[in-house]
Structure formats: C-alpha cells, structure tokens
Amino acid sequence: MVTTPEERTRPIRIDEEMRTSYLNYAMSVIVARALPDVRDGLKPVQRRILYAMHDISLGPNSAHKKCARIVGEVLGKYHPHGDSPVYDALVRMAQDFSLRYPLVDGQGNFGSVDDDPPAAMRYTEARLTRIAQEMLADIQLDTVDFAANFDDSLKEPVVLPGRLPNLLVNGASGIAVGMATSIPPHNLGEICDAISRLIDHPDTYVEDLLKIVKGPDFPTKAMALVGRDGEFVRQLYTTGHGKVVMRARAQIDELKGSRYQIIVTELPYQVNKASLVARIAQMARDKKIDGISDIRDESDRKGMRMVIELRRDAQAEMVLNNLYKHTAMQSSFNVTMLALVDGQPQILNLKRVLQLFIEHRQVVITRRSEFLLKRAKERAHILEGLRKAIEFLDLVIKLIRAAKDAEAARNSLMERLELTEIQAQAILDMQLRRLAALERQRLEEEYQQVVKTIGELEALLGDPGKVLAVIKDETRQLKKDYAGPRLTEIVEDGPTQHTLEELTQHQEVVITISRRGYIKRMPSATYRSQLRGGKGIRGMTTREDDAVQHLLVADTHDMLLFFTNRGRVYRLRGFEIYGETSRTTRGTPMVNLINLVSGERVNEVVATPELDMDGQFVLGTRKGEVKGLRLRDLAHLRSNGLIIMDLEPGDELVSVRELKKDEDVVFVTANGQSIRFPASNVPLRSRPAGGVRGIKLVGNDEVVGMETVTPQDKMLVISAQGHGKLVSMARYPKQKRGGMGVRAFNVTKKTGPLAHARVVTEGVEDEVLLVSEQCKVYRTNLEGISTQGRHASGVIIWRPGDDDQVASIACFQNSHKAE
C-alpha cells in the first residue's frame, strides 16, 4: 500500500498503534498458523504439505521422495516460513504414535516415543498414505476454493475436500495468542457411525452420540478412565471442555522365590518413555516410591516392554498404585475442542463438530456434482454433434472435401447441419476409425450413459436428502476401508484418584506417643535386636520435659483406637500417621490428627485390623475400676471422639483390651500387687456408664497395667530400672473381683516400682521393645528373659542411664524372622 507524505507524517497514538498491531498479529497467528479448520482438521502448514505432495504425485503407489525435496516444494510455493516448522509438521504426520491414522508414509528415522529426534530431512523420505488420499479426493473437481499463494504466482486450496473427519480421528493441538486447542484422536469406525446417526436423526442429542463414541482412541493404546458412568466424557463432549485421565497398561508377574515384577506394555498418549524410566528410577533412589529394586527398558520392534523389578518384601499392588499416583503412568489429557469456523475460533461440542463436517461435505458434493454435471453436459453436446455427423455422413464428407481449409469446413458444417462451433470442431477432430460400425455403437452407448448421468446429477442437486445419502455411503465406505478395532480401553468406573489406603503397603511399624502428645511411626526394622542388658539406641528427639509414654507395634492398615484419660476414644488408620524418615525425629502433634480437647491426653492405644461388632472391650482405670463395653457401641465413632466411660474425680483410664472367649482379666499395680479374675465377673455396661471395682488398692498404690490372659500365657513385668521377668499365668491364682490380690513382683529400691506389665503368648510374640523417658529404644528377644516366680525381682533386661527409666514396652512377633 502506497502512503502519501501527509499520511507518513501524521501523528499516531502509540497505544492505538500497539492495540491494532497486536490484534493483527494475534489474528494472523490464530487463523494462519496455530488453529485447525473445523472442516478438514488441518492447520495451514499441514494442508500445504499434503497438497504439495499431491501436486508432485507422491501418492501411496509412487516411490518415496526425500523430505528435503518436499519441504523445498512447500517453502518455494506455499509456505513462506522456516524449513524447521515445515519438517516438524511433516514428521508428526508420519509418526504412528502421534496420529491415530498417519497421513504421511515415512521411510527412515522419524523419531520415537522416547522423544528421540528425527533424522535430518536430507536423510528421510516420505509419500502420502492411502488414507491421506481421502483428504485430497476430488480436489481437481472444483470442490473447494483456491486462493493466491504468498507471491500471487500460484493457487493453493483454502481447505481440503476432506472425506476423512480428520479433526476428530487424528485430533489437533496448537497454541495461539490467548487461546489453545487440544483435541484427542478418536476411532474412525465410531466417528463414521456417529456421522451416519446424525444424518439419519439430525435432532440426536450429544448423550445419544456418546453411546457410539465411547471416548478418545489414542495411538499409544493404554486405558482411558472416564469416571463413573462416563462423567468425564459427558462433560467433555457436551461442553467442549474437559479431561481424559489416561493410565498405562501394566501387569504384575510373579517370579520364583515370591518375587514380583511389574510389566508396562502401553503408556498414556504423549508420555516420554525414557523420561518416565528416569523419573521412576530417581523416585526409587529417593525412597519416594518404596519397593523397587531395578527398572529397565526392554522395548524392541515387537512393542513396548518396561520391566520394574520389586524387592522381596514389596507389595506389588501398592507399588503399582504409587506409580500411577506419582508418575506419568497416569496422566490427564486436558481437552479444549477449539477450531476455526468461518475463520473465527469457536469451542465446539461433539455434535457441532460433526454437523460442521457434514455441512462441509454437503458443499463439496454439491460443487463436485455441479462440476461433473457441467462436464457431462459439455460432453453430451459434443456427442450430439458426432451423432448428427454420422447420420449425415455423406454430406459431412462432401462438405469437408469441398472446403478449401479447416475454417471453411467448420463454417460449412455449422451452416448446413445447424451445429455449434464446438460440435463442428469435434467432427473435424474425429478419427476415421470412429466411422466403423462398432465404434458408432460405442458412441451411441456413451451418449446414452452421459444423458443418464446428467439426469442423476440433476436429481442429486435438486434433492438435499440425496446429497446426505451420498455422504452416508462415502462414510460407510471409509469405515470399511480404513477403520479398525479400538486401541484405547475405556474404563468407565475406574477410580481416577487413589486413596491413601491404596497407596500404602502393609508394613509392620512402631508407633510411639510422647507424654507431651507427639506421635510418629517408624518401620519396626529400624530398631535392631540387641542382647539382654544393652543400652539401646536413640528413638526420638524430645524436649527435656518430654518422654515416650506409649509404644505400639501395628500394621500400617490397622485401625488404631486412641483412648484418653478422660474416658473418650478416637479413631485413626495406621497410614494416616505421617511417616518419618529418621528415627530421631520428634513426630507430629496428636492434636493435628485427632480433636483432643485441652487437658486431654492419650493413655492407651489399641490396634485391630477391623472392628468386630460382636466383640467386647474391657476397660481399666488408674484407681482399679473395670468395665465391659460392646464394640458395636463404637460403630458410629465421630471425628471429635466418643465418651466410653464415666470416671470418678481424680481417676483416669489407663488400659483397654479386646476381650476374647474364656479369658481372664489381670490387674498389676506399681507396688507389685496383682489380681486375676474371670472375665465373666466384668459387667457389660452402656457406653456412658462408669465401672466397678477390679482391685482394691492400698495407700498410694495405683494400677500400671491391665491385661486379658489365657492359662497358656505368660506375664512380662518390667520395673522402672529395667528389671523384668516372665511369670507363667499358672502362678496367678484366680480370685474374686475387687480383692487386694497377690504379689506379682518383689519391688525394691534397686528395681524401682513396676513400670509396665504385658501379656505374652508363646508362639505369637517373640520380641519386646522398651522405650525410656529419655527416648532410648531397646529391642531384644523374649527368649533372653527368664521365667521366674511371682515373688522374684527379675533380671536386668536393660540398664537405663542416669536420671532415666522405662517409660513404655511393647511385645510383638518379628515378621522378618522367617526371611
């Protein structure tokens, strides 16, 4: 555009110029570069590549040509940009892991799912695929508009005829200015069926189309989790916005020696396999995913195979769930169905995309029919002249022989036989062999066929329903020729988010609670077994006025019931306690996990795999009260706790045990007294009720433990200074509830008062953990503790340091002993 000197010197506001220039740039990027056209599903560079390859006859039956030549053809004729974007677009159309139905048949290195770059364009070769020809079919029949190229020297198609619904079957992605498109690929057979359904029933709802189109169909297969009842797919296809959660296909194989491995054979769309392998290896080294011993890529020409070796103690399902949770083995494909409609970007739902494709095909078929009708009428016009010439053959020969030149002959024929110039010229151009009888018959048959074709085309153009029928027939043929089975499995009710329970493997852990209310869990293997009389190892860092009060060995999936001094109970699962990476860490405040009120503290913790609603608990208090409670009374346990016992002033709950059939109840006091009485003597009372007397205390004595026992059990008693012993339950006589009991331990100045008592079942528990007030943890075998009488003072099990004493004990079975 030429500007005058006055226009060049006219002042321009910078804000207006910036606004105008930016909008022009934005629209240029949106329309001419980044977004696909809804009709053929192609961006301009893709359209130009396909047309250029078609123009130089690089069809599926031709030889491959160098990609450098193709890129040069595109750059020189249609696409005035850099060669790299053109080659990148060409490469992507040839990758069977990027497009569901590749449009380019590549020969050479065109990249891989490991994000390996393709070879340089001078090394690779390409040609069109068979299905790409469906995008260009009938382009020579004036089916689409053509526009001038960048230098007005050539014409290029504005859109391709596109018999293939490319926008949906191959998807699209692109980032424009202020907007982006991301459309997943789909199965051709399903899309063809949906088009046919919409042609037959134009008022079909999107929900009806979803019975046909199950969801995306990615070239890398894998699984698509679409939520319960397809909620994600419904949102995606009705609004044009949404997401599809993709999950790798993996199987768990059992090896010899109770070892397992996870085999991954399919990955989510656009996931880089090499990066995924490196990511899993790094997370295994950092212990963010536990249980992995090795990972290797065994993929080859036959397919993908990624092998994840697991440790012997790993739980394969838990490891796999963690891989889905923390790596790209499960990832989301965020969908925005944005495309150009009449040059304007619009977000479309599934039905609208199909409608616009059908409308495009209506225009293409109408223009094709008009073009063919014009050609047929032109041919019929010529054939009519040739028929007349054969009818008056002698006159035609006479006129031609009498004419002095071709022009005179043409004029004579036009005058004497009433022919047009085109007909007369056709007679002059007719070969003599056409005068043979057989040729005259063929001429007549051709004329009759052309007349029939004209009638069919005129009928087609006069009836829009017949145009739709042609679209339907072509769509069915397209499905027959190219459609295949679905690659991506649709999982309609699969969970898209894993619960913490699914992600946590079963593991034996030690749970400790300090007097100031800090709780933590650690694997029991953290504390190695030691010989009797050792000093132990550091188990927790606490404040000077804090000490470990409770110690429990449980499974990470056990249900933990926390009983407080005020007669309330709270509930947690083992995996809900935050895991720690060091045994010396302090832990997490209990108030962060359960709703303790001011002055309330946990005095007992019970672990159980699940609550047996037919079972019973027995509760013991510091002042010797006892009470039975049905477990069904805890069925509606709330987050703010539940009152389970009415306590007298100054009393507190100290022990809670699950009561089994034919068991007795044993109380042990700090001064070494104990009483054993049948569980039948413990009355079952309602949840808010108080207890009855279990043992009569003398002076300032108090209960340090209450246990439920069988005649085959032994009682482990530990004093504050680390003296302990095992006592057979046969040494404890059965008495009536409420008495003073008998001697259980000879308390001296050297031993200090009894600190704890725990029941031990032979063949079940074989190890004991002791924790001191200064947080020393000591683990040893029960075999090293001798069995003695009730009046003995025991042996030295542990030597606490100065100003230290036993704070808590736990007995358990070493689950790793067999290994």
Side-chain angles (χ1 to χ4, degrees):
M1 183 177 66
V2 179
T3 58
T4 64
E6 291 77 11
E7 291 175 330
R8 288 196 294 267
T9 58
R10 181 176 59 86
I12 300 174
R13 289 182 58 87
I14 187 66
D15 57 338
E16 293 179 357
E17 179 63 25
M18 290 292 293
R19 185 180 300 110
T20 303
S21 298
Y22 187 76
L23 287 175
N24 291 337
Y25 161 73
M27 288 306 298
S28 174
V29 172
I30 291 170
V31 175
R33 298 176 85 178
L35 299 185
D37 193 294
V38 71
R39 295 170 291 180
D40 60 9
L42 297 172
K43 301 178 187 179
V45 65
Q46 296 171 324
R47 188 178 302 117
R48 288 163 176 167
I49 291 171
L50 295 180
Y51 181 67
M53 295 177 72
H54 170 77
D55 197 34
I56 60 176
S57 301
L58 275 183
N61 297 322
S62 68
H64 292 82
K65 299 294 183 184
K66 288 289 185 182
C67 289
R69 177 179 175 182
I70 300 171
V71 172
E73 188 81 8
V74 175
L75 291 179
K77 292 183 176 180
Y78 311 114
H79 199 69
H81 299 284
D83 59 343
S84 293
V86 176
Y87 185 52
D88 290 344
L90 174 65
V91 165
R92 188 176 186 278
M93 288 193 291
Q95 293 174 336
D96 58 3
F97 53 86
S98 294
L99 267 63
R100 180 64 176 83
Y101 302 91
L103 302 176
V104 173
D105 176 16
Q107 185 170 276
N109 176 16
F110 278 80
S112 71
V113 292
D114 290 327
D115 204 25
D116 296 322
M121 68 180 79
R122 62 183 179 272
Y123 300 120
T124 56
E125 299 178 344
R127 63 183 180 185
L128 293 173
T129 60
R130 285 181 58 241
I131 201 170
Q133 288 189 311
E134 304 295 339
M135 297 294 299
L136 296 149
D138 304 327
I139 195 171
Q140 73 280 6
L141 303 182
D142 192 32
T143 51
V144 293
D145 292 332
F146 279 70
N149 68 341
F150 59 89
D151 61 358
D152 289 342
S153 62
L154 295 169
K155 297 291 185 179
E156 62 174 314
V158 175
V159 67
L160 296 186
R163 189 178 297 169
L164 176 73
N166 184 63
L167 183 67
L168 287 174
V169 299
N170 274 327
S173 62
I175 301 175
V177 179
M179 60 186 69
T181 184
S182 181
I183 303 174
H186 294 78
N187 182 268
L188 177 59
E190 293 179 359
I191 297 300
C192 289
D193 289 342
I195 291 172
S196 298
R197 170 64 183 266
L198 200 56
I199 291 174
D200 292 337
H201 306 281
D203 56 348
T204 297
Y205 292 104
V206 176
E207 287 76 7
D208 298 324
L209 294 175
L210 295 185
K211 298 176 182 178
I212 301 172
V213 181
K214 304 299 183 181
D217 190 22
F218 298 105
T220 54
K221 303 181 182 180
M223 295 180 288
L225 310 183
V226 294
R228 297 195 177 276
D229 300 322
E231 56 181 318
F232 294 159
V233 167
R234 188 180 304 107
Q235 177 188 359
L236 161 63
Y237 291 128
T238 54
T239 67
H241 281 292
K243 69 174 181 179
V244 178
V245 181
M246 302 173 294
R247 178 180 289 180
R249 185 175 298 281
Q251 66 183 39
I252 299 172
D253 289 351
E254 184 175 1
L255 305 176
K256 294 181 179 179
S258 300
R259 294 176 64 90
Y260 292 88
Q261 63 181 11
I262 298 173
I263 309 296
V264 181
T265 55
E266 299 170 10
L267 288 181
Y269 186 51
Q270 296 179 338
V271 168
N272 184 329
K273 176 161 61 68
S275 298
L276 175 63
V277 171
R279 171 69 173 164
I280 294 174
Q282 184 62 46
M283 296 191 78
R285 284 193 295 269
D286 296 343
K287 301 300 182 182
K288 293 182 179 178
I289 298 181
D290 197 22
I292 297 176
S293 62
D294 187 27
I295 179 171
R296 59 183 181 274
D297 185 1
E298 297 181 355
S299 304
D300 55 21
R301 292 182 179 181
K302 297 180 181 179
M304 182 181 298
R305 179 181 170 87
M306 195 169 69
V307 181
I308 302 170
E309 298 282 355
L310 304 183
R311 294 201 310 263
R312 189 184 303 275
D313 60 340
Q315 297 180 24
E317 289 290 347
M318 296 296 179
V319 175
L320 182 57
N321 286 338
N322 274 291
L323 289 171
Y324 285 140
K325 175 73 174 179
H326 298 293
T327 73
M329 282 180 59
Q330 178 170 309
S331 56
S332 296
F333 186 93
N334 295 307
V335 179
T336 302
M337 298 181 68
L338 179 71
L340 294 176
V341 181
D342 296 328
Q344 299 296 320
Q346 292 184 18
I347 293 180
L348 310 165
N349 62 24
L350 176 63
K351 181 179 179 180
R352 185 60 178 153
V353 172
L354 296 176
Q355 284 176 329
L356 291 170
F357 175 76
I358 293 172
E359 292 173 7
H360 171 57
R361 291 300 299 165
Q362 284 179 295
V363 172
V364 168
I365 291 174
T366 300
R367 291 183 60 164
R368 181 183 70 187
S369 301
E370 291 173 345
F371 179 85
L372 294 175
L373 179 60
K374 180 182 177 182
R375 288 284 183 88
K377 287 182 175 181
E378 291 174 352
R379 182 60 179 167
H381 181 65
I382 293 173
L383 291 174
E384 287 172 353
L386 295 177
R387 292 173 72 222
K388 185 176 288 189
I390 292 174
E391 182 181 355
F392 300 99
L393 183 59
D394 293 340
L395 178 60
V396 170
I397 294 173
K398 181 180 178 180
L399 291 174
I400 294 174
R401 291 181 66 181
K404 63 178 180 179
D405 56 24
E407 184 177 354
R410 183 170 60 247
N411 292 334
S412 298
L413 291 172
M414 293 171 60
E415 182 180 349
R416 292 293 299 274
L417 297 178
E418 297 180 350
L419 301 173
T420 64
E421 182 178 354
I422 294 175
Q423 290 174 324
Q425 185 63 44
I427 294 172
L428 292 175
D429 294 338
M430 184 174 62
Q431 298 173 339
L432 289 176
R433 65 180 176 82
R434 302 297 296 273
L435 300 177
L438 188 58
E439 290 294 328
R440 281 183 289 174
Q441 182 182 351
R442 290 177 179 174
L443 185 66
E444 183 64 26
E445 290 175 353
E446 182 185 0
Y447 176 72
Q448 296 301 328
Q449 182 62 43
V450 170
V451 171
K452 180 182 178 181
T453 301
I454 291 173
E456 292 174 348
L457 291 172
E458 287 178 340
L460 177 65
L461 292 171
D463 186 354
K466 290 186 176 181
V467 175
L468 291 174
V470 172
I471 298 174
K472 186 175 178 180
D473 290 341
E474 291 183 351
T475 301
R476 286 176 173 173
Q477 188 62 42
L478 190 72
K479 175 184 176 181
K480 180 181 179 181
D481 292 341
Y482 302 104
R486 165 174 282 278
L487 299 181
T488 299
E489 180 186 356
I490 299 296
V491 183
E492 292 189 351
D493 58 350
T496 59
Q497 295 294 331
H498 295 285
T499 64
L500 187 58
E501 181 176 5
E502 293 176 315
L503 297 173
T504 306
Q505 68 177 8
H506 288 272
Q507 183 183 30
E508 187 179 74
V509 293
V510 176
I511 297 171
T512 57
I513 303 176
S514 73
R515 288 182 179 174
R516 294 185 63 87
Y518 284 85
I519 184 172
K520 77 167 186 176
R521 81 166 197 251
M522 286 293 294
S524 63
T526 303
Y527 307 103
R528 64 184 185 274
S529 181
Q530 297 173 274
L531 298 176
R532 180 173 61 82
K535 293 186 177 181
I537 59 174
R538 173 66 64 180
M540 177 186 289
T541 300
T542 62
R543 293 175 47 167
E544 292 182 359
D545 56 347
D546 197 7
V548 173
Q549 186 177 16
H550 300 288
L551 183 70
L552 179 70
V553 179
D555 186 89
T556 48
H557 285 249
D558 280 351
M559 180 180 294
L560 305 178
L561 299 177
F562 297 87
F563 298 89
T564 71
N565 60 323
R566 294 191 174 184
R568 298 177 68 86
V569 62
Y570 299 84
R571 180 173 64 185
L572 277 181
R573 297 294 293 276
F575 52 77
E576 294 179 297
I577 301 173
Y578 306 145
E580 301 288 348
T581 58
S582 172
R583 58 181 170 79
T584 59
T585 50
R586 189 175 185 182
T588 302
M590 287 287 297
V591 292
N592 292 352
L593 301 177
I594 56 178
N595 298 323
L596 295 173
V597 300
S598 178
E600 190 175 20
R601 68 179 184 275
V602 174
N603 266 2
E604 184 64 273
V605 187
V606 174
T608 178
E610 58 183 20
L611 284 179
D612 180 6
M613 291 302 147
D614 295 327
Q616 299 177 14
F617 272 149
V618 58
L619 289 67
T621 71
R622 186 75 67 190
K623 290 187 175 181
E625 297 288 308
V626 67
K627 167 189 172 179
L629 178 70
R630 296 178 180 87
L631 264 66
R632 67 168 62 98
D633 292 338
L634 306 181
H636 303 290
L637 193 54
R638 299 183 296 270
S639 60
N640 59 349
L642 201 65
I643 296 175
I644 58 170
M645 188 172 187
D646 182 29
L647 298 172
E648 296 181 359
D651 199 3
E652 64 180 20
L653 188 65
V654 293
S655 291
V656 179
R657 294 290 181 267
E658 192 170 355
L659 189 61
K660 298 179 182 178
K661 187 178 180 180
D662 299 329
E663 285 189 330
D664 295 332
V665 178
V666 176
F667 276 87
V668 179
T669 73
N671 289 342
Q673 289 295 113
S674 68
I675 188 171
R676 174 187 177 189
F677 52 86
S680 57
N681 289 171
V682 180
L684 285 172
R685 315 197 78 179
S686 63
R687 186 170 49 77
V692 295
R693 177 180 291 179
I695 185 172
K696 184 177 181 181
L697 302 177
V698 178
N700 60 354
D701 199 6
E702 61 183 21
V703 173
V704 296
M706 179 205 71
E707 294 287 338
T708 56
V709 299
T710 65
Q712 293 77 30
D713 292 335
K714 293 183 179 181
M715 182 69 72
L716 172 66
V717 287
I718 304 287
S719 73
Q721 295 302 313
H723 289 250
K725 64 179 179 178
L726 289 168
V727 183
S728 174
M729 290 311 304
R731 299 292 187 109
Y732 293 91
K734 284 189 181 182
Q735 299 177 285
K736 292 184 178 180
R737 175 181 56 80
M740 296 177 58
V742 297
R743 176 68 62 185
F745 188 87
N746 184 25
V747 175
T748 66
K749 185 176 181 181
K750 183 179 180 181
T751 63
L754 276 184
H756 285 281
R758 285 289 184 271
V759 64
V760 175
T761 302
E762 284 191 288
V764 178
E765 292 93 351
D766 53 21
E767 295 208 3
V768 61
L769 274 179
L770 287 79
V771 181
S772 74
E773 291 187 345
Q774 294 184 4
C775 302
K776 292 280 188 176
V777 180
Y778 173 72
R779 174 178 176 177
T780 189
N781 291 325
L782 282 170
E783 296 176 354
I785 302 177
S786 60
T787 301
Q788 300 181 356
R790 288 190 294 105
H791 296 276
S793 297
V795 296
I796 298 177
I797 299 176
W798 184 26
R799 299 181 187 274
D802 297 338
D803 301 323
D804 197 9
Q805 63 182 26
V806 175
S808 182
I809 65 172
C811 300
F812 65 100
Q813 184 179 33
N814 184 355
S815 60
H816 303 283
K817 197 168 186 179
E819 300 179 7

